[in-house]
Amino acid sequence: MGVLDSREPKGPLANKWTNHKNEIDLVNPANKRNIDIIIVGTGLAGGSAAATLAELGYNVKTFCYQDSPRRAHSIAAQGGVNAAKNYQGDGDSVYRLFYDTVKGGDYRSRESNVYRLAEVSTNIIDQCVAQGVPFAREYGGLLDNRSFGGVLVSRTFYAKGQTGQQLLLGAYAAMNRQIQRGKIKSYTRHEMLDLVLVDGKARGIIARDLVSGKIERHSAHAVVLATGGYGNLFFLSTYCMGANVMAAWKAHKKGAFFANPCFTQIHPTCIPVSGDHQSKLTLMSESLRNDGRIWVPKRLEDAQAIREGKLKPTQLGEEERDYYLERRYPAFGNLVPRDVASRAAKERCDAGFGVNKTGEAVYLDFSAAIMRYGREKALTSGMKDVDDNTIRELGEKIVEAKYGNLFQMYEKIVDENPYKTPMMIYPAVHYTMGGLWVDYNLQTTIPGCYAAGEANFSDHGANRLGASALMQGLADGYFVLPYTIGDYLSDDIRTGPISTDSPEFDAAEKNVTDKLEKLMSGTGIHSVDYYHKKLGKIMWNKCGMSRNAKELKEAIKEIAELRKDFWENVKIPGRPDSKNQELEKAGRVADFLELGELFAKDALERNESCGGHFREEYQTPEGEALRDDENFKFVSAWEYKGEPSDAKLHKEDLVYENIKVKTRSYK
Amino acid sequence: MKLYLKIWRQKNASTKGQMVDYTLDGVESDMSFLEMLDILNEELISKGEEPVEFDHDCREGICGTCSLMINGRPHGPDSMITVCQLHMRSFNDGDEIVIEPWRAKAFPVIKDLIVDRTAFDRIQQAGGYISVNTSGRPVDANAIPIEKEMADKSFNAATCIGCGACVAACKNASAMLFTSAKVSQFALLPQGQVEAAERVENMVRQMDLEGFGNCTNTGACEIECPKGISLENIARMNREYLSASVKG
């Protein structure tokens, strides 16, 4: 194990969390008033952690770069949140949710963490309903469920296609209650630029007020990073424009190990790229795969005619379409996990069957579902001898009730009506499973520095199943951190307030101001976006959906060169002492230019195909991912040693005592 | 296509702003409005000028960050969308487009097209929540059955993205639509009943303190709301407020 102590509790899996809670040290309520906690990021993980820790009595300071915590990108999560409630009586259980998650993650997540996640999942729904989150209901007044990719039960709770929005607003409301009580001090339009360590412990941050440009010092007894993922290093992704790796990367540079940086989720159902000017990609919820059938034309000449606009998809009959997921994976069909669906789409497009102008799109077709729902509605309404058009209209109304906002979003972007013509979709970067290494308590390798939600690595393995990101964010924030952080803070009840007037804060602040000055001082020629787009191209082409050793080596070299060029030639107008969005972007891209290299290095090191990491050299004769459990059943945790090329690899071996490691099959 | 842009430039809250003219060529119809501004900014940066600052984040119509008055209308000429969902196919070659920040006293300008909407947060802090402990063990979720129609209505109110278009559209800069959406979400659910009276009184009080104007039933807010939040919510809030005042 070396320096990586996962601190997993002993004993049977189902009792680990309960036993752990019974054994960890508590902080007396009166002493909590004397303890300060900084939380960076106010999405599902950060917002819920802030609300709960403040409610317990700690003094909480929250930081977000947005103008309000309500705008964190958790708000854009569409499909739903999983919980092992078994309300549908279809055989679901805590064990099954745990099993699906570990298997879906290709056996690269930590067993005890995932079991705890499944265990607390049922509390999440109770909690959110109590907060007034308006989940979808059945006519009998009980909660409705739907199913998601990679599972055979219906355990996903949802609020139309806006589940993330409603859950985030729930956490935001809980935060607001604590802000009103004076227990949370909320710093908006602020960005963390460095982590401050005193005696080896995380004791504060250096932040920049993005409106005034002022550099500020904030101290605390512990720092929680809940800053999301780093998918924006690909430039084009489904992330919000401001998502960055800054806080996590600064913590990494101060000693927090970075785990599995190369595990990136590519989501199969995004709106395809339309042109060079594009700034981001838009996700169509995976829940659409419940009712949409995915296909491309069977014949190459049909695909070509469609690309040239000579043929419409609706002109092709059933027998002329290749429903390739149903063909290849009969058991799961269109509901295979994201990595499998993404690779299958790429395989068909690479073979020449793509259906948009660039040949990088497949169809997601609702016509069968529309007719099926329409017929059912006609029957239940007692309508007889209805024609196809009426059936279609009835069916469209039902599909609209389920996915209306997604269909509207698609129509606005693509300018085509998805009720009448199949949607076009293509895989895009959506979520990062890598992140800061954390132990069972969610503590990084820096004492007092915690990472929650997408910012950590522990629960999703190499591929995240649908509706599990919201689950993890809220589980960490509402139900895990509030316990585990107390264990650490119980040693701090006599520490008293942490002074910001120390050599450590001086040094960190100087480090920050030097860097800002360096960025502003250049007589550069290229904008920040110029570099970001170049980095994105390297990442997508050489570290994207499939990777090989040769191209990964090229990527490592190219990123290092691009980074050098960036620091010499980037051009940032304006001043550092005022609102300056170009400067904000520059700081973020500077970090991506370092992380990108570590990402490629990690991908090169991992000689196997695994979840979202597909190495072309390691595949089965049928083109499926070929894992190497004997040599790579570990978490790669990288220690910062200067340049990304010098990073040192540590391994946390993954032990599966309660689950049999099998080849993943969805056939 | 070629566009003639008139954009509000303002250094910060304490300096005076002005409209500045820009000409932008090579705009494609499938660009979003914000991508068009990205291209303008790339041009400005290459000329050594300061780019136009505007708020944006998710770029898929849900975070509520983007906030532009385009030709006098919040979020531009189309209905039921935010600026990030507005595409240049809604404009013609040679068009003049006037771009301004939200206009309201309670939303002071921070820079260029960015305004300060923290007043909305303070209205929520005054009572936009159900006072339930997050670290406790609430009852099983299905122990609170809710009529589907009520759950859907509550959801519809809850979809407000807090962008502020309602305030910008209103001749009185009223925040009634925004505030009433949250009041309605909870008023329609059994969980929100216990503190309903206190909630509506506190939120309305805060709304007035922030300097938002009154509602005169013009309905511009509903027309411009990107999420179609209904005026019914204002009526519901007024009923709730009245009943709270009578009780109080």
Side-chain angles (χ1 to χ4, degrees):
Chain A
M1 196 69 75
V3 284
L4 294 174
D5 180 1
S6 69
R7 300 181 58 169
E8 285 172 90
K10 302 272 180 288
L13 187 64
N15 300 342
K16 277 183 198 269
W17 179 228
T18 306
N19 291 346
H20 191 60
K21 282 192 290 187
N22 288 339
E23 282 163 19
I24 53 184
D25 288 329
L26 296 179
V27 181
N28 160 344
N31 286 330
K32 285 182 184 138
R33 287 196 284 273
N34 304 323
I35 289 179
D36 307 320
I37 301 174
I38 282 174
I39 298 179
V40 186
T42 53
L44 281 181
S48 56
T52 307
L53 290 168
E55 180 185 300
L56 288 172
Y58 298 106
N59 309 310
V60 175
K61 283 183 178 185
T62 60
F63 292 81
C64 67
Y65 72 77
Q66 298 92 343
D67 69 326
S68 164
R70 67 169 292 142
R71 307 209 197 277
H73 201 49
S74 308
I75 206 160
Q78 297 163 346
V81 54
N82 281 339
K85 281 281 200 185
N86 195 27
Y87 280 161
Q88 306 297 338
D90 54 3
D92 202 9
S93 64
V94 168
Y95 182 84
R96 221 176 259 280
L97 175 52
F98 154 74
Y99 177 87
D100 286 342
T101 308
V102 173
K103 177 192 171 197
D106 229 345
Y107 305 93
R108 293 295 177 265
S109 47
R110 192 188 285 147
E111 212 183 48
S112 54
N113 283 55
V114 180
Y115 193 88
R116 173 175 64 189
L117 176 66
E119 191 180 333
V120 304
S121 68
T122 59
N123 294 17
I124 296 173
I125 305 304
D126 299 341
Q127 178 64 53
C128 295
V129 166
Q131 281 172 342
V133 170
F135 283 116
R137 298 269 167 172
E138 311 248 24
Y139 282 99
L142 302 183
L143 289 151
D144 196 8
N145 288 118
R146 60 187 176 199
S147 57
F148 254 61
V151 302
L152 297 171
V153 294
S154 202
R155 65 160 73 104
T156 306
F157 295 78
Y158 68 101
K160 263 196 181 166
Q162 283 139 278
T163 318
Q165 177 192 32
Q166 293 311 318
L167 295 178
L168 181 71
L169 294 182
Y172 164 73
M175 271 183 78
N176 280 333
R177 181 171 169 235
Q178 300 303 326
I179 293 172
Q180 186 76 346
R181 285 180 67 215
K183 289 306 291 182
I184 295 180
K185 201 157 165 23
S186 157
Y187 293 83
T188 58
R189 293 193 195 268
H190 272 69
E191 189 155 66
M192 166 180 156
L193 296 185
D194 207 355
L195 182 72
V196 183
L197 268 55
V198 180
D199 298 330
K201 294 175 177 174
R203 290 299 197 189
I205 65 169
I206 305 292
R208 181 165 178 268
D209 177 336
L210 299 179
V211 175
S212 67
K214 201 169 156 279
I215 304 299
E216 299 173 357
R217 302 175 178 197
H218 295 275
S219 67
H221 297 86
V223 177
V224 178
L225 304 180
T227 47
Y230 47 86
N232 260 346
L233 92 161
F234 284 86
F235 188 73
L236 282 183
S237 75
T238 67
Y239 283 71
C240 56
M241 301 300 284
N244 60 80
V245 74
M246 191 175 267
W249 194 249
K250 302 304 189 208
H252 172 59
K253 287 180 135 180
K254 285 284 170 82
F257 290 5
F258 208 100
N260 297 334
C262 82
F263 286 164
T264 305
Q265 179 147 85
I266 313 281
H267 198 294
T269 55
C270 299
I271 299 180
V273 177
S274 68
D276 278 342
H277 54 77
Q278 202 155 350
S279 58
K280 77 153 269 153
L281 298 172
T282 302
L283 178 73
M284 291 284 100
S285 167
E286 184 177 19
S287 62
L288 294 175
R289 287 199 279 146
N290 269 315
D291 284 315
R293 295 178 73 194
I294 294 175
W295 63 275
V296 291
K298 255 186 194 157
R299 286 191 298 262
L300 273 172
E301 55 269 31
D302 286 344
Q304 192 175 346
I306 284 177
R307 282 198 295 273
E308 289 165 357
K310 291 176 189 159
L311 186 69
K312 288 200 174 95
T314 44
Q315 289 173 286
L316 286 182
E318 218 32 40
E319 65 290 345
E320 293 163 304
R321 303 171 174 193
D322 175 15
Y323 295 94
Y324 58 87
L325 289 177
E326 297 167 37
R327 168 169 61 79
R328 284 176 66 176
Y329 309 99
F332 282 72
N334 293 300
L335 284 175
V336 290
R338 294 169 174 184
D339 60 330
V340 177
S342 296
R343 266 198 298 283
K346 182 172 192 291
E347 189 276 330
R348 283 294 79 191
C349 291
D350 287 351
F353 293 94
V355 293
N356 69 345
K357 270 186 216 155
T358 60
E360 287 182 317
V362 300
Y363 286 127
L364 178 61
D365 194 336
F366 293 87
S367 51
I370 286 172
M371 296 309 280
R372 189 176 71 241
Y373 284 129
R375 263 180 232 114
E376 194 182 315
K377 181 73 189 174
L379 280 175
T380 52
S381 322
M383 298 163 77
K384 282 183 191 148
D385 302 325
V386 274
D387 57 279
D388 276 6
N389 275 342
T390 316
I391 287 178
R392 175 168 273 280
E393 272 173 33
L394 292 170
E396 282 180 3
K397 280 209 188 95
I398 293 182
V399 168
E400 188 184 351
K402 289 179 101 161
Y403 313 110
N405 68 307
L406 301 171
F407 277 52
Q408 184 242 12
M409 201 157 82
Y410 180 87
E411 189 169 358
K412 289 292 173 199
I413 293 172
V414 183
D415 205 20
E416 268 182 17
N417 180 347
Y419 293 99
K420 306 291 180 201
T421 181
M423 277 185 186
M424 287 182 291
I425 52 162
Y426 198 68
V429 172
H430 178 58
Y431 194 93
T432 48
M433 271 80 61
L436 292 174
W437 185 90
V438 289
D439 64 14
Y440 189 73
N441 287 337
L442 306 184
Q443 185 168 245
T444 68
T445 46
I446 298 174
C449 178
Y450 291 75
E454 192 182 351
N456 74 28
F457 86 101
S458 54
D459 291 15
H460 303 307
N463 172 52
R464 185 174 67 72
L465 284 184
S468 61
L470 303 184
M471 176 171 66
Q472 192 217 343
L474 291 178
D476 285 359
Y478 282 140
F479 302 115
V480 178
L481 262 178
Y483 284 98
T484 59
I485 206 167
D487 194 41
Y488 172 81
L489 292 171
S490 61
D491 289 337
D492 261 330
I493 54 171
R494 288 191 190 83
T495 308
I498 310 285
S499 166
T500 56
D501 203 11
S502 63
E504 290 86 354
F505 271 95
D506 290 345
E509 181 174 327
K510 186 171 182 309
N511 177 28
V512 162
T513 46
D514 284 355
K515 203 139 216 187
L516 289 172
E517 245 166 58
K518 200 172 163 204
L519 279 171
M520 296 297 303
S521 67
T523 49
I525 40 179
H526 298 302
S527 70
V528 178
D529 275 357
Y530 165 90
Y531 289 100
H532 197 176
K533 284 183 181 178
K534 279 206 150 184
L535 174 67
K537 282 231 161 75
I538 299 172
M539 295 304 298
W540 182 247
N541 291 334
K542 298 183 173 173
C543 315
M545 282 184 68
S546 62
R547 304 144 184 194
N548 61 57
K550 179 178 161 277
E551 289 184 345
L552 286 169
K553 282 180 196 154
E554 288 167 10
I556 289 171
K557 207 167 144 258
E558 288 166 22
I559 296 166
E561 283 164 8
L562 189 65
R563 186 167 64 240
K564 190 164 169 280
D565 187 35
F566 170 87
W567 282 102
E568 283 167 7
N569 289 315
V570 71
K571 176 179 197 156
I572 301 160
R575 301 168 52 85
D577 57 356
S578 66
K579 181 104 189 75
N580 188 335
Q581 288 177 327
E582 282 300 299
L583 181 59
E584 294 163 28
K585 270 199 286 188
R588 296 166 187 169
V589 171
D591 291 333
F592 283 140
L593 283 164
E594 293 178 356
L595 170 73
E597 190 180 331
L598 186 67
F599 183 118
K601 190 178 153 97
D602 185 48
L604 180 63
E605 189 76 26
R606 190 167 279 277
N607 289 317
E608 63 163 351
S609 288
C610 188
H613 163 83
F614 188 76
R615 275 286 293 274
E616 290 160 12
E617 303 94 321
Y618 308 97
Q619 51 181 306
T620 65
E622 300 88 48
E624 305 292 341
L626 187 62
R627 239 177 29 225
D628 179 353
D629 292 330
E630 197 159 323
N631 296 305
F632 290 94
K633 202 157 79 323
F634 63 76
V635 175
S636 48
W638 296 92
E639 182 183 1
Y640 181 77
K641 291 277 182 192
E643 289 292 308
S645 53
D646 303 329
K648 190 179 165 204
L649 178 64
H650 299 268
K651 297 174 184 177
E652 180 197 340
D653 288 324
L654 292 166
V655 183
Y656 295 98
E657 289 172 344
N658 299 279
I659 203 167
K660 201 166 162 262
V661 179
K662 291 195 285 198
T663 302
R664 259 162 102 216
S665 171
Y666 295 92
K667 289 196 189 285
Chain B
M1 53 182 152
K2 193 173 187 177
L3 297 172
Y4 302 95
L5 308 172
K6 283 187 181 302
I7 302 179
W8 183 259
R9 301 300 307 258
Q10 184 173 338
K11 232 176 165 167
N12 52 45
S14 51
T15 53
K16 242 179 126 178
Q18 55 171 347
M19 297 301 290
V20 178
D21 292 345
Y22 299 94
T23 306
L24 188 63
D25 213 345
V27 176
E28 289 167 34
S29 62
D30 61 353
M31 285 177 184
S32 73
F33 198 86
L34 298 183
E35 283 164 357
M36 182 274 292
L37 288 179
D38 289 342
I39 306 240
L40 171 74
N41 278 344
E42 281 291 300
E43 272 194 32
L44 293 178
I45 294 166
S46 73
K47 282 192 277 188
E49 291 175 34
E50 280 199 47
V52 180
E53 302 229 350
F54 56 95
D55 262 338
H56 63 94
D57 204 18
C58 80
R59 294 206 175 186
E60 49 187 88
I62 190 72
C63 73
T65 309
C66 57
S67 51
L68 298 178
M69 286 298 262
I70 299 166
N71 291 339
R73 291 185 61 182
H75 299 298
D78 219 339
S79 62
M80 295 287 283
I81 54 167
T82 53
V83 182
C84 61
Q85 294 174 298
L86 175 66
H87 281 71
M88 298 313 292
R89 62 179 81 97
S90 301
F91 298 89
N92 300 310
D93 188 31
D95 274 0
E96 181 184 271
I97 307 177
V98 180
I99 310 170
E100 300 161 273
W102 278 176
R103 298 173 299 201
K105 198 178 109 205
F107 288 164
V109 171
I110 288 175
K111 186 175 182 180
D112 293 340
L113 301 168
I114 299 177
V115 299
D116 180 351
R117 285 170 286 186
T118 47
F120 269 16
D121 287 319
R122 289 186 292 272
I123 294 174
Q124 298 283 301
Q125 285 153 20
Y129 43 79
I130 290 172
S131 301
V132 57
N133 280 358
T134 59
S135 45
R137 284 297 301 269
V139 295
D140 184 85
N142 259 353
I144 314 172
I146 300 172
E147 196 186 328
K148 181 168 164 41
E149 200 191 325
M150 291 306 238
D152 288 350
K153 268 193 184 169
S154 170
F155 170 81
N156 287 340
T159 53
C160 166
I161 56 173
C163 65
C166 48
V167 173
C170 178
K171 61 184 195 285
N172 304 327
S174 164
M176 293 278 269
L177 193 67
F178 167 79
T179 309
S180 69
K182 206 69 189 175
V183 167
S184 287
Q185 177 194 343
F186 296 132
L188 288 161
L189 294 175
Q191 303 95 306
Q193 295 307 319
V194 180
E195 53 190 335
E198 200 184 342
R199 173 181 308 113
V200 70
E201 284 185 326
N202 289 343
M203 288 180 80
V204 168
R205 184 185 312 120
Q206 188 62 37
M207 182 179 82
D208 293 341
L209 278 175
E210 295 290 347
F212 292 105
N214 251 317
C215 173
T216 48
N217 292 312
T218 310
C221 53
E222 186 188 43
I223 292 167
E224 300 295 0
C225 174
K227 297 296 157 185
I229 302 293
S230 162
L231 281 178
E232 274 174 33
N233 293 305
I234 296 185
R236 188 176 294 107
M237 181 168 81
N238 285 337
R239 282 199 301 277
E240 291 279 321
Y241 190 73
L242 185 67
S243 115
S245 316
V246 172
K247 270 185 210 155

